[in-house]
Coordinates of all heavy atoms in Angstrom, one line a residue:
M146 N 0.8 -1.1 0.0 CA 0.0 0.0 0.0 C 0.9 1.2 0.0 O 1.8 1.4 0.8 CB -0.9 0.1 1.3 CG -1.9 1.1 1.3 SD -3.3 0.7 0.2 CE -4.2 2.2 0.5
A147 N 0.5 2.2 -0.8 CA 1.3 3.4 -1.0 C 1.0 4.3 0.2 O 0.0 4.1 0.9 CB 1.0 4.2 -2.3
K148 N 2.0 5.3 0.5 CA 1.6 6.2 1.6 C 0.3 7.0 1.2 O 0.1 7.4 0.2 CB 2.8 7.2 1.6 CG 4.0 6.6 2.3 CD 5.3 7.5 2.2 CE 5.0 8.9 2.8 NZ 6.1 9.7 2.8
K149 N -0.4 7.3 2.2 CA -1.6 8.0 2.0 C -1.4 9.4 1.6 O -2.2 10.0 0.9 CB -2.4 8.0 3.4 CG -3.0 6.8 3.8 CD -4.2 6.5 3.0 CE -4.9 5.2 3.5 NZ -6.0 4.8 2.7
S150 N -0.3 10.0 2.1 CA 0.1 11.3 1.7 C 0.3 11.5 0.3 O -0.2 12.4 -0.4 CB 1.2 11.8 2.5 OG 2.4 11.1 2.2
M151 N 0.9 10.4 -0.4 CA 1.2 10.4 -1.8 C -0.1 10.3 -2.6 O -0.3 11.0 -3.6 CB 2.2 9.4 -2.2 CG 3.5 9.5 -1.6 SD 4.3 11.1 -1.9 CE 4.8 10.8 -3.6
V152 N -1.0 9.5 -2.1 CA -2.2 9.3 -2.8 C -3.2 10.5 -2.8 O -3.7 11.0 -3.7 CB -3.1 8.0 -2.2 CG1 -4.4 7.9 -2.8 CG2 -2.3 6.8 -2.5
N153 N -3.1 11.1 -1.5 CA -3.8 12.4 -1.4 C -3.3 13.5 -2.2 O -4.0 14.3 -2.8 CB -3.9 12.7 0.1 CG -4.7 11.9 1.0 OD1 -5.5 11.1 0.5 ND2 -4.3 11.9 2.2
R154 N -1.9 13.6 -2.3 CA -1.3 14.7 -3.2 C -1.8 14.4 -4.6 O -2.0 15.4 -5.3 CB 0.2 14.5 -3.0 CG 0.9 15.5 -3.8 CD 2.4 15.3 -3.6 NE 2.9 15.4 -2.2 CZ 4.1 14.9 -1.8 NH1 5.0 14.6 -2.7 NH2 4.4 15.0 -0.6
E155 N -1.8 13.2 -5.1 CA -2.1 12.9 -6.4 C -3.6 13.4 -6.7 O -4.0 13.9 -7.7 CB -2.0 11.5 -6.8 CG -1.9 11.2 -8.2 CD -0.7 11.9 -8.9 OE1 0.3 12.1 -8.3 OE2 -0.8 12.4 -10.1
E156 N -4.5 13.1 -5.7 CA -5.9 13.4 -5.8 C -6.0 15.0 -5.8 O -6.9 15.6 -6.6 CB -6.7 12.9 -4.7 CG -6.9 11.3 -4.8 CD -7.6 10.8 -3.5 OE1 -7.9 11.6 -2.6 OE2 -7.8 9.7 -3.5
K157 N -5.3 15.7 -5.1 CA -5.3 17.2 -5.0 C -4.8 17.7 -6.4 O -5.5 18.6 -6.9 CB -4.3 17.6 -3.9 CG -4.3 19.1 -3.8 CD -3.3 19.5 -2.7 CE -3.0 20.9 -2.6 NZ -2.0 21.3 -1.6
R158 N -3.9 17.1 -6.9 CA -3.4 17.5 -8.4 C -4.5 17.3 -9.3 O -4.7 18.2 -10.2 CB -2.1 16.7 -8.7 CG -0.9 17.2 -8.1 CD 0.3 16.4 -8.5 NE 1.5 16.9 -7.8 CZ 2.5 16.1 -7.6 NH1 2.5 14.8 -7.9 NH2 3.5 16.5 -6.9
Q159 N -5.2 16.2 -9.3 CA -6.3 16.0 -10.2 C -7.4 16.9 -10.1 O -7.9 17.4 -11.1 CB -6.8 14.6 -10.0 CG -5.9 13.4 -10.5 CD -6.5 12.1 -10.1 OE1 -7.5 11.9 -9.4 NE2 -5.8 11.0 -10.6
K160 N -7.7 17.3 -8.9 CA -8.7 18.5 -8.8 C -8.3 19.7 -9.4 O -9.0 20.5 -10.0 CB -9.0 18.6 -7.2 CG -9.9 17.6 -6.6 CD -10.1 17.7 -5.2 CE -10.7 16.5 -4.5 NZ -10.8 16.6 -3.1
L161 N -7.0 20.2 -9.1 CA -6.4 21.3 -9.6 C -6.4 21.4 -11.1 O -6.7 22.4 -11.8 CB -5.0 21.6 -9.0 CG -4.9 22.3 -7.7 CD1 -3.4 22.3 -7.2 CD2 -5.4 23.7 -7.9
V162 N -6.0 20.2 -11.7 CA -5.9 20.1 -13.2 C -7.4 20.3 -13.8 O -7.6 21.1 -14.7 CB -5.4 18.8 -13.6 CG1 -5.6 18.5 -15.1 CG2 -4.0 18.7 -13.3
K163 N -8.3 19.8 -13.1 CA -9.7 19.8 -13.7 C -10.2 21.3 -13.5 O -10.9 21.8 -14.3 CB -10.6 18.9 -12.8 CG -11.9 18.5 -13.6 CD -12.7 17.5 -12.8 CE -12.2 16.1 -13.0 NZ -13.0 15.1 -12.4
Q164 N -9.9 21.9 -12.4 CA -10.4 23.2 -12.0 C -9.7 24.2 -12.9 O -10.5 25.2 -13.4 CB -9.9 23.5 -10.6 CG -10.3 24.9 -10.1 CD -9.9 25.2 -8.6 OE1 -9.5 24.1 -7.9 NE2 -10.0 26.4 -8.1
H165 N -8.4 24.2 -13.4 CA -7.8 25.2 -14.1 C -7.7 24.9 -15.7 O -7.0 25.5 -16.4 CB -6.4 25.4 -13.6 CG -6.5 26.0 -12.2 ND1 -6.7 27.4 -12.1 CD2 -6.2 25.5 -11.0 CE1 -6.6 27.6 -10.7 NE2 -6.4 26.5 -10.1
A166 N -8.4 23.7 -16.1 CA -8.1 23.2 -17.5 C -8.4 24.3 -18.5 O -7.8 24.5 -19.5 CB -8.9 21.9 -17.6
S167 N -9.6 24.8 -18.4 CA -10.2 25.8 -19.3 C -9.4 27.1 -19.4 O -9.0 27.5 -20.4 CB -11.6 26.1 -19.0 OG -11.7 26.7 -17.9
K168 N -9.0 27.5 -18.2 CA -8.1 28.8 -18.3 C -6.8 28.6 -18.8 O -6.3 29.3 -19.6 CB -8.0 29.3 -16.8 CG -7.4 30.6 -16.8 CD -7.4 31.2 -15.3 CE -6.7 32.5 -15.3 NZ -6.7 33.1 -13.9
R169 N -6.2 27.4 -18.5 CA -4.8 27.0 -19.1 C -5.0 26.9 -20.6 O -4.1 27.3 -21.4 CB -4.3 25.8 -18.4 CG -3.8 25.9 -17.1 CD -3.3 24.6 -16.6 NE -2.0 24.5 -17.1 CZ -0.8 24.8 -16.6 NH1 -0.8 25.6 -15.5 NH2 0.3 24.6 -17.2
A170 N -6.1 26.3 -21.1 CA -6.2 26.1 -22.5 C -6.3 27.4 -23.2 O -5.8 27.6 -24.3 CB -7.3 25.1 -22.8
A171 N -7.1 28.4 -22.6 CA -7.3 29.6 -23.2 C -6.0 30.4 -23.4 O -5.6 31.0 -24.4 CB -8.3 30.5 -22.4
L172 N -5.3 30.3 -22.2 CA -3.9 31.0 -22.3 C -2.9 30.5 -23.2 O -2.2 31.2 -24.0 CB -3.3 31.0 -20.9 CG -3.9 31.9 -19.8 CD1 -3.4 31.6 -18.4 CD2 -3.7 33.3 -20.2
K173 N -3.0 29.1 -23.3 CA -2.1 28.4 -24.3 C -2.5 28.7 -25.8 O -1.6 28.8 -26.6 CB -2.1 26.9 -24.1 CG -1.3 26.5 -22.9 CD -1.2 25.0 -22.8 CE -0.3 24.6 -21.7 NZ -0.1 23.1 -21.6
A174 N -3.8 28.9 -26.0 CA -4.3 29.3 -27.3 C -3.7 30.6 -27.8 O -3.4 30.9 -28.9 CB -5.8 29.2 -27.4
V175 N -3.8 31.6 -26.7 CA -3.2 32.9 -27.1 C -1.7 32.8 -27.3 O -1.3 33.5 -28.1 CB -3.5 33.8 -25.8 CG1 -2.9 35.2 -26.0 CG2 -5.0 34.1 -25.7
I176 N -1.0 32.1 -26.5 CA 0.5 32.0 -26.6 C 0.8 31.4 -28.0 O 1.8 31.9 -28.5 CB 1.0 31.1 -25.5 CG1 0.9 31.9 -24.1 CG2 2.5 30.9 -25.7 CD1 1.1 31.1 -22.9
N177 N 0.1 30.5 -28.4 CA 0.5 29.7 -29.7 C -0.1 30.5 -31.0 O 0.3 30.1 -32.1 CB 0.0 28.3 -29.6 CG 0.7 27.4 -28.6 OD1 1.9 27.7 -28.3 ND2 0.1 26.5 -28.0
D178 N -0.8 31.4 -30.7 CA -1.5 32.2 -31.9 C -0.4 33.2 -32.4 O -0.2 34.2 -31.8 CB -2.8 32.9 -31.5 CG -3.5 33.4 -32.7 OD1 -3.1 33.3 -33.8 OD2 -4.6 34.1 -32.4
Q179 N 0.1 33.0 -33.5 CA 1.3 33.7 -34.1 C 0.7 35.1 -34.6 O 1.5 36.0 -34.8 CB 1.9 32.9 -35.3 CG 2.6 31.7 -34.9 CD 3.8 32.1 -34.0 OE1 4.6 33.0 -34.0 NE2 4.1 31.1 -32.9
S180 N -0.6 35.1 -34.8 CA -1.1 36.4 -35.4 C -1.4 37.5 -34.3 O -1.5 38.7 -34.7 CB -2.5 36.1 -36.1 OG -3.5 35.7 -35.2
K181 N -1.3 37.1 -33.1 CA -1.4 38.0 -32.0 C -0.2 38.8 -31.7 O 0.9 38.3 -32.1 CB -1.8 37.3 -30.7 CG -3.2 36.6 -30.8 CD -4.1 37.1 -29.7 CE -5.3 36.1 -29.8 NZ -6.5 36.8 -29.7
P182 N -0.2 40.1 -31.3 CA 1.1 40.8 -31.0 C 2.0 40.2 -29.9 O 1.4 39.5 -29.1 CB 0.6 42.2 -30.6 CG -0.8 42.1 -30.4 CD -1.3 40.8 -31.0
M183 N 3.2 40.4 -30.0 CA 4.2 39.7 -29.1 C 3.9 40.2 -27.6 O 4.1 39.3 -26.7 CB 5.6 40.2 -29.6 CG 6.6 39.4 -28.8 SD 6.6 37.6 -29.2 CE 8.0 37.1 -28.4
E184 N 3.5 41.4 -27.4 CA 3.3 41.8 -26.1 C 2.1 41.0 -25.3 O 2.1 40.6 -24.2 CB 3.0 43.3 -25.9 CG 4.1 44.2 -26.4 CD 4.2 44.4 -27.9 OE1 3.2 44.1 -28.6 OE2 5.3 44.6 -28.4
E185 N 1.0 40.8 -26.1 CA -0.1 40.1 -25.7 C 0.3 38.7 -25.4 O -0.2 38.1 -24.3 CB -1.3 40.2 -26.7 CG -2.5 39.7 -26.2 CD -3.7 39.8 -27.2 OE1 -3.6 40.5 -28.1 OE2 -4.7 39.0 -27.1
R186 N 1.0 38.0 -26.2 CA 1.5 36.7 -26.0 C 2.3 36.5 -24.8 O 2.3 35.6 -24.0 CB 2.1 36.1 -27.3 CG 1.1 36.0 -28.4 CD 1.7 35.5 -29.8 NE 2.9 34.7 -29.7 CZ 3.9 34.8 -30.6 NH1 3.7 35.5 -31.7 NH2 4.9 34.0 -30.5
F187 N 3.2 37.5 -24.6 CA 4.1 37.5 -23.4 C 3.3 37.7 -22.1 O 3.6 37.0 -21.1 CB 5.2 38.7 -23.6 CG 6.1 38.7 -22.5 CD1 7.1 37.7 -22.5 CD2 6.2 39.7 -21.6 CE1 8.1 37.6 -21.5 CE2 7.1 39.6 -20.5 CZ 8.1 38.5 -20.4
K188 N 2.3 38.5 -22.2 CA 1.5 38.6 -20.9 C 0.7 37.4 -20.7 O 0.6 37.0 -19.5 CB 0.4 39.8 -21.2 CG 0.9 41.2 -21.1 CD -0.1 42.2 -21.3 CE 0.6 43.6 -21.3 NZ -0.4 44.7 -21.6
A189 N 0.3 36.7 -21.6 CA -0.4 35.4 -21.5 C 0.6 34.3 -20.9 O 0.2 33.5 -20.0 CB -1.0 34.8 -22.8
T190 N 1.8 34.4 -21.4 CA 2.9 33.6 -20.8 C 3.1 33.8 -19.4 O 3.2 33.0 -18.6 CB 4.3 33.7 -21.5 OG1 4.0 33.5 -23.0 CG2 5.3 32.8 -21.1
L191 N 3.1 35.1 -19.0 CA 3.3 35.4 -17.5 C 2.2 35.0 -16.7 O 2.4 34.4 -15.5 CB 3.5 36.9 -17.3 CG 4.8 37.4 -18.0 CD1 4.8 39.0 -17.8 CD2 6.0 36.8 -17.3
K192 N 1.0 35.1 -17.2 CA -0.3 34.7 -16.5 C -0.2 33.1 -16.3 O -0.6 32.6 -15.2 CB -1.5 35.1 -17.2 CG -1.9 36.5 -17.0 CD -3.3 36.8 -17.6 CE -3.5 38.3 -17.6 NZ -4.9 38.6 -18.1
L193 N 0.2 32.4 -17.3 CA 0.4 31.0 -17.2 C 1.4 30.5 -16.2 O 1.1 29.6 -15.5 CB 0.7 30.4 -18.6 CG 0.6 28.8 -18.8 CD1 -0.8 28.3 -18.6 CD2 1.2 28.5 -20.1
A194 N 2.5 31.3 -16.1 CA 3.5 31.0 -15.1 C 3.1 31.3 -13.7 O 3.6 30.7 -12.8 CB 4.7 31.8 -15.5
E195 N 2.1 32.2 -13.6 CA 1.5 32.5 -12.2 C 0.6 31.4 -11.7 O 0.5 31.4 -10.4 CB 0.9 33.8 -12.2 CG 1.8 35.0 -12.3 CD 1.0 36.4 -12.5 OE1 -0.2 36.3 -12.5 OE2 1.8 37.4 -12.6
M196 N 0.1 30.7 -12.5 CA -0.9 29.6 -12.1 C -0.1 28.6 -11.3 O 1.1 28.4 -11.5 CB -1.6 29.0 -13.3 CG -2.4 30.0 -14.1 SD -3.3 29.2 -15.5 CE -4.6 28.3 -14.6
P197 N -0.8 27.8 -10.5 CA -0.3 26.7 -9.7 C 0.5 25.7 -10.5 O -0.2 25.3 -11.6 CB -1.4 26.1 -8.9 CG -2.5 27.1 -9.0 CD -2.2 27.8 -10.2
R198 N 1.6 25.3 -10.2 CA 2.3 24.2 -10.9 C 1.5 23.0 -11.1 O 1.6 22.3 -12.1 CB 3.7 24.0 -10.3 CG 4.7 25.0 -10.6 CD 6.1 24.6 -10.2 NE 7.0 25.5 -10.6 CZ 8.4 25.4 -10.4 NH1 8.8 24.3 -9.9 NH2 9.1 26.4 -10.8
N199 N 0.9 22.6 -10.0 CA 0.2 21.3 -10.0 C -1.1 21.4 -10.8 O -1.8 20.4 -10.9 CB -0.2 20.9 -8.5 CG 1.1 20.4 -7.8 OD1 1.9 19.9 -8.4 ND2 1.0 20.5 -6.5
S200 N -1.5 22.5 -11.4 CA -2.5 22.6 -12.3 C -2.2 22.2 -13.6 O -3.1 22.1 -14.6 CB -3.2 23.9 -12.3 OG -2.4 24.9 -12.9
S201 N -1.0 21.8 -13.9 CA -0.6 21.3 -15.2 C -0.8 19.8 -15.3 O -0.5 19.0 -14.4 CB 0.9 21.6 -15.4 OG 1.3 21.0 -16.6
A202 N -1.4 19.4 -16.4 CA -1.7 17.9 -16.6 C -0.5 17.0 -16.6 O -0.5 15.8 -16.3 CB -2.5 17.7 -17.7
T203 N 0.6 17.6 -16.9 CA 1.9 16.7 -17.0 C 2.4 16.4 -15.7 O 3.3 15.5 -15.5 CB 3.0 17.5 -17.8 OG1 3.3 18.8 -17.1 CG2 2.7 17.8 -19.2
R204 N 1.9 17.0 -14.6 CA 2.4 16.7 -13.3 C 1.6 15.4 -12.7 O 2.0 15.0 -11.5 CB 2.2 17.9 -12.3 CG 2.9 19.1 -13.0 CD 3.9 19.8 -12.1 NE 4.0 19.7 -10.7 CZ 5.0 20.1 -10.1 NH1 6.2 20.5 -10.7 NH2 5.0 20.0 -8.8
L205 N 0.5 15.1 -13.4 CA -0.2 13.9 -12.9 C 0.6 12.6 -13.1 O 1.3 12.5 -14.0 CB -1.5 13.8 -13.7 CG -2.5 14.9 -13.4 CD1 -3.7 14.7 -14.2 CD2 -3.0 14.9 -12.0
H206 N 0.4 11.6 -12.2 CA 1.1 10.4 -12.3 C 0.0 9.4 -12.1 O -0.8 9.4 -11.2 CB 2.1 10.3 -11.2 CG 3.2 9.2 -11.5 ND1 2.9 7.9 -11.4 CD2 4.3 9.2 -12.0 CE1 3.9 7.2 -11.7 NE2 4.8 8.0 -12.2
N207 N 0.1 8.3 -12.9 CA -0.9 7.2 -12.8 C -0.7 6.4 -11.6 O 0.5 6.0 -11.3 CB -0.9 6.4 -14.0 CG -1.4 7.1 -15.2 OD1 -2.3 7.9 -15.2 ND2 -0.8 6.8 -16.4
R208 N -1.7 6.1 -10.8 CA -1.6 5.3 -9.7 C -2.7 4.2 -9.6 O -3.8 4.4 -10.1 CB -1.7 6.1 -8.4 CG -0.5 6.9 -8.1 CD -0.6 7.6 -6.7 NE 0.7 8.3 -6.4 CZ 1.6 7.7 -5.8 NH1 1.6 6.4 -5.3 NH2 2.8 8.3 -5.6
C209 N -2.4 3.0 -9.0 CA -3.4 2.0 -8.9 C -4.6 2.5 -8.1 O -4.3 3.1 -7.0 CB -2.8 0.8 -8.2 SG -3.8 -0.6 -7.9
Q210 N -5.8 2.2 -8.5 CA -6.9 2.7 -7.8 C -7.2 1.9 -6.5 O -7.7 2.6 -5.5 CB -8.2 2.3 -8.7 CG -8.3 3.2 -10.0 CD -8.5 4.6 -9.7 OE1 -9.5 5.0 -8.9 NE2 -7.7 5.5 -10.2
L211 N -6.6 0.7 -6.3 CA -6.9 0.0 -5.0 C -5.7 0.2 -4.1 O -5.9 0.4 -2.9 CB -6.9 -1.5 -5.4 CG -8.1 -1.9 -6.3 CD1 -8.1 -3.3 -6.5 CD2 -9.5 -1.5 -5.6
T212 N -4.5 0.2 -4.5 CA -3.4 0.2 -3.6 C -2.6 1.7 -3.7 O -1.9 2.0 -2.7 CB -2.3 -0.9 -3.9 OG1 -1.8 -0.7 -5.2 CG2 -3.0 -2.2 -3.6
G213 N -2.7 2.4 -4.8 CA -2.0 3.6 -4.9 C -0.6 3.4 -5.4 O 0.1 4.4 -5.5
R214 N -0.2 2.2 -5.8 CA 1.1 1.9 -6.4 C 1.3 2.7 -7.7 O 0.5 2.7 -8.6 CB 1.2 0.5 -6.6 CG 2.6 -0.1 -7.0 CD 2.6 -1.7 -7.0 NE 4.0 -2.1 -6.9 CZ 4.8 -2.2 -7.9 NH1 4.6 -1.8 -9.0 NH2 6.1 -2.7 -7.6
P215 N 2.5 3.4 -7.8 CA 2.7 4.2 -8.9 C 3.5 3.5 -10.2 O 3.4 4.0 -11.3 CB 3.6 5.2 -8.4 CG 4.4 4.6 -7.3 CD 3.5 3.7 -6.8
H216 N 4.0 2.3 -9.9 CA 4.7 1.6 -11.0 C 3.9 0.4 -11.5 O 3.0 -0.1 -10.8 CB 6.1 1.1 -10.4 CG 7.0 2.2 -10.0 ND1 7.5 3.1 -10.9 CD2 7.4 2.6 -8.7 CE1 8.2 4.0 -10.3 NE2 8.2 3.6 -8.9
A217 N 4.2 0.0 -12.7 CA 3.6 -1.3 -13.2 C 2.1 -1.1 -13.3 O 1.3 -1.9 -12.8 CB 4.0 -2.5 -12.6
Y218 N 1.6 0.0 -13.9 CA 0.3 0.4 -13.9 C -0.3 0.2 -15.3 O 0.3 0.5 -16.4 CB 0.2 2.0 -13.7 CG -1.2 2.5 -13.8 CD1 -2.0 2.6 -12.8 CD2 -1.5 3.2 -15.0 CE1 -3.3 3.2 -12.9 CE2 -2.8 3.9 -15.1 CZ -3.7 3.8 -14.0 OH -4.8 4.4 -14.2
Y219 N -1.4 -0.6 -15.4 CA -2.1 -0.9 -16.5 C -3.2 0.2 -16.8 O -4.2 0.3 -16.0 CB -2.9 -2.2 -16.5 CG -1.8 -3.3 -16.6 CD1 -1.2 -3.9 -15.5 CD2 -1.4 -3.8 -17.9 CE1 -0.2 -4.9 -15.6 CE2 -0.4 -4.7 -18.0 CZ 0.2 -5.4 -16.9 OH 1.1 -6.3 -17.0
R220 N -3.1 1.0 -17.9 CA -4.1 2.1 -18.0 C -5.5 1.7 -18.2 O -6.4 2.4 -17.7 CB -3.6 3.0 -19.2 CG -2.4 3.8 -19.0 CD -2.0 4.6 -20.2 NE -0.8 5.3 -20.0 CZ -0.2 6.1 -20.8 NH1 -0.8 6.2 -22.0 NH2 0.9 6.8 -20.6
K221 N -5.7 0.7 -19.0 CA -7.1 0.3 -19.4 C -7.8 -0.2 -18.1 O -9.1 0.0 -17.9 CB -7.1 -1.0 -20.3 CG -7.0 -0.5 -21.8 CD -7.2 -1.7 -22.7 CE -7.1 -1.2 -24.1 NZ -7.4 -2.4 -25.0
L222 N -7.1 -0.8 -17.2 CA -7.8 -1.4 -15.9 C -7.5 -0.5 -14.7 O -8.3 -0.7 -13.7 CB -7.2 -2.8 -15.6 CG -7.3 -3.8 -16.8 CD1 -6.5 -5.0 -16.4 CD2 -8.8 -4.1 -16.9
K223 N -6.7 0.5 -14.9 CA -6.4 1.4 -13.7 C -5.9 0.6 -12.5 O -6.2 1.0 -11.4 CB -7.5 2.2 -13.4 CG -7.9 3.3 -14.5 CD -8.9 4.3 -14.2 CE -9.2 5.1 -15.3 NZ -10.2 6.1 -14.9
L224 N -5.2 -0.5 -12.7 CA -4.6 -1.2 -11.7 C -3.1 -1.5 -11.8 O -2.6 -1.5 -13.0 CB -5.4 -2.6 -11.7 CG -6.9 -2.7 -11.3 CD1 -7.4 -4.0 -11.6 CD2 -7.1 -2.2 -9.9
S225 N -2.5 -1.9 -10.8 CA -1.1 -2.3 -10.8 C -1.1 -3.8 -11.2 O -2.0 -4.4 -11.1 CB -0.3 -2.0 -9.5 OG -0.8 -2.8 -8.5
R226 N 0.1 -4.2 -11.6 CA 0.3 -5.6 -11.9 C 0.0 -6.6 -10.8 O -0.5 -7.7 -11.1 CB 1.7 -5.8 -12.5 CG 2.7 -5.7 -11.5 CD 4.1 -6.0 -12.1 NE 5.2 -5.7 -11.0 CZ 5.5 -6.5 -10.1 NH1 5.0 -7.7 -9.9 NH2 6.5 -6.1 -9.1
I227 N 0.3 -6.2 -9.7 CA 0.0 -7.1 -8.5 C -1.4 -7.2 -8.2 O -1.8 -8.4 -8.0 CB 0.9 -6.4 -7.2 CG1 2.3 -6.3 -7.6 CG2 0.5 -7.2 -6.0 CD1 3.1 -5.5 -6.6
M228 N -2.1 -6.1 -8.2 CA -3.6 -6.2 -8.0 C -4.2 -6.9 -9.1 O -5.2 -7.6 -9.0 CB -4.1 -4.9 -7.7 CG -3.8 -4.2 -6.5 SD -4.0 -5.3 -5.0 CE -5.7 -5.6 -5.0
L229 N -3.7 -6.8 -10.3 CA -4.3 -7.4 -11.5 C -4.3 -8.9 -11.4 O -5.1 -9.7 -11.6 CB -3.6 -7.0 -12.8 CG -4.1 -7.5 -14.0 CD1 -5.5 -7.2 -14.4 CD2 -3.2 -7.2 -15.2
R230 N -3.1 -9.3 -10.9 CA -2.9 -10.8 -10.8 C -3.7 -11.3 -9.6 O -4.3 -12.4 -9.8 CB -1.3 -11.1 -10.5 CG -1.1 -12.5 -10.4 CD 0.4 -12.8 -10.4 NE 0.6 -14.2 -10.5 CZ 1.4 -14.9 -9.6 NH1 1.9 -14.3 -8.6 NH2 1.6 -16.2 -9.7
E231 N -3.8 -10.6 -8.6 CA -4.6 -11.0 -7.4 C -6.0 -11.1 -7.8 O -6.7 -12.2 -7.5 CB -4.3 -10.0 -6.2 CG -4.8 -10.6 -4.9 CD -4.4 -9.6 -3.7 OE1 -3.2 -9.3 -3.8 OE2 -5.4 -9.2 -3.1
L232 N -6.6 -10.1 -8.5 CA -8.0 -10.1 -8.8 C -8.3 -11.3 -9.9 O -9.3 -11.9 -9.8 CB -8.4 -8.8 -9.3 CG -8.5 -7.7 -8.3 CD1 -8.8 -6.3 -9.0 CD2 -9.5 -8.0 -7.2
A233 N -7.3 -11.5 -10.7 CA -7.5 -12.5 -11.7 C -7.5 -13.9 -11.1 O -8.3 -14.8 -11.5 CB -6.4 -12.4 -12.8
S234 N -6.7 -14.0 -10.0 CA -6.6 -15.3 -9.3 C -7.9 -15.6 -8.6 O -8.4 -16.7 -8.6 CB -5.5 -15.3 -8.3 OG -4.3 -15.2 -8.9
F235 N -8.6 -14.6 -8.1 CA -9.9 -14.7 -7.5 C -11.0 -14.8 -8.4 O -12.3 -14.9 -8.0 CB -10.1 -13.7 -6.4 CG -9.2 -13.7 -5.3 CD1 -8.4 -12.7 -4.9 CD2 -8.9 -14.9 -4.6 CE1 -7.5 -12.7 -3.8 CE2 -8.0 -15.1 -3.6 CZ -7.4 -13.9 -3.1
G236 N -10.7 -14.6 -9.7 CA -11.8 -14.6 -10.8 C -12.7 -13.4 -10.7 O -13.9 -13.3 -11.1
Q237 N -12.1 -12.3 -10.3 CA -12.9 -11.0 -10.2 C -12.9 -10.2 -11.4 O -13.7 -9.2 -11.6 CB -12.4 -10.2 -8.9 CG -12.4 -11.0 -7.7 CD -13.1 -10.2 -6.7 OE1 -13.2 -9.1 -6.6 NE2 -13.4 -11.0 -5.6
I238 N -12.0 -10.5 -12.4 CA -12.0 -9.8 -13.6 C -12.5 -10.7 -14.7 O -12.0 -11.7 -14.9 CB -10.6 -9.4 -13.9 CG1 -9.9 -8.6 -12.9 CG2 -10.4 -8.6 -15.4 CD1 -8.5 -8.1 -13.1
P239 N -13.6 -10.2 -15.3 CA -14.3 -11.2 -16.3 C -13.4 -11.4 -17.5 O -12.7 -10.6 -18.1 CB -15.4 -10.3 -16.8 CG -15.6 -9.2 -15.9 CD -14.3 -9.1 -15.1
G240 N -13.3 -12.7 -17.9 CA -12.6 -13.1 -19.0 C -11.1 -13.3 -18.8 O -10.4 -13.7 -19.7
M241 N -10.6 -13.1 -17.6 CA -9.3 -13.3 -17.3 C -9.1 -14.5 -16.3 O -9.7 -14.5 -15.3 CB -8.7 -12.0 -16.7 CG -7.1 -12.0 -16.6 SD -6.4 -10.5 -16.0 CE -6.5 -9.5 -17.5
V242 N -8.2 -15.4 -16.6 CA -7.8 -16.5 -15.9 C -6.3 -16.6 -15.7 O -5.6 -16.5 -16.6 CB -8.3 -17.8 -16.5 CG1 -8.0 -18.9 -15.6 CG2 -9.9 -17.7 -16.7
K243 N -5.9 -16.7 -14.4 CA -4.5 -16.8 -14.1 C -4.1 -18.2 -14.4 O -4.7 -19.2 -13.9 CB -4.2 -16.5 -12.6 CG -2.7 -16.5 -12.4 CD -2.5 -16.5 -10.8 CE -1.3 -17.1 -10.4 NZ -1.1 -18.5 -10.6
S244 N -3.0 -18.4 -15.2 CA -2.7 -19.7 -15.6 C -1.8 -20.3 -14.5 O -0.9 -19.6 -13.9 CB -1.9 -19.7 -16.9 OG -0.7 -18.9 -16.8
S245 N -2.0 -21.6 -14.1 CA -1.1 -22.2 -13.2 C -1.1 -23.7 -13.6 O -2.0 -24.2 -14.1 CB -1.7 -22.0 -11.8 OG -3.0 -22.5 -11.7
W246 N 0.1 -24.3 -13.4 CA 0.2 -25.7 -13.6 C 1.1 -26.4 -12.7 O 1.8 -25.8 -11.8 CB 0.6 -25.9 -15.1 CG 2.0 -25.2 -15.5 CD1 3.3 -25.7 -15.3 CD2 2.1 -23.9 -15.9 NE1 4.2 -24.8 -15.7 CE2 3.5 -23.8 -16.1 CE3 1.2 -22.9 -16.3 CZ2 4.1 -22.6 -16.5 CZ3 1.8 -21.7 -16.7 CH2 3.2 -21.5 -16.8

């Protein structure tokens, strides 16, 4: 089980990303628009830099939904390899059977 503080930190980042997504997208559109004057694009860059760092989607890290483990994460299932194997062994994932001989 991952540290609770790390899981909580990741949840906080997800909330911030969702909260600031539209504003960040608008600022990035202004910054990338070559037809706008340089001063306006520079002001948008400064506003983007003032926003919280954790509101950027690149700061998110995938974690297992059950344990919070950050490594060996399967995106489709949102689980780590360890929990995937355990749930497959118990027959909790439809269509998946753990092979053993």
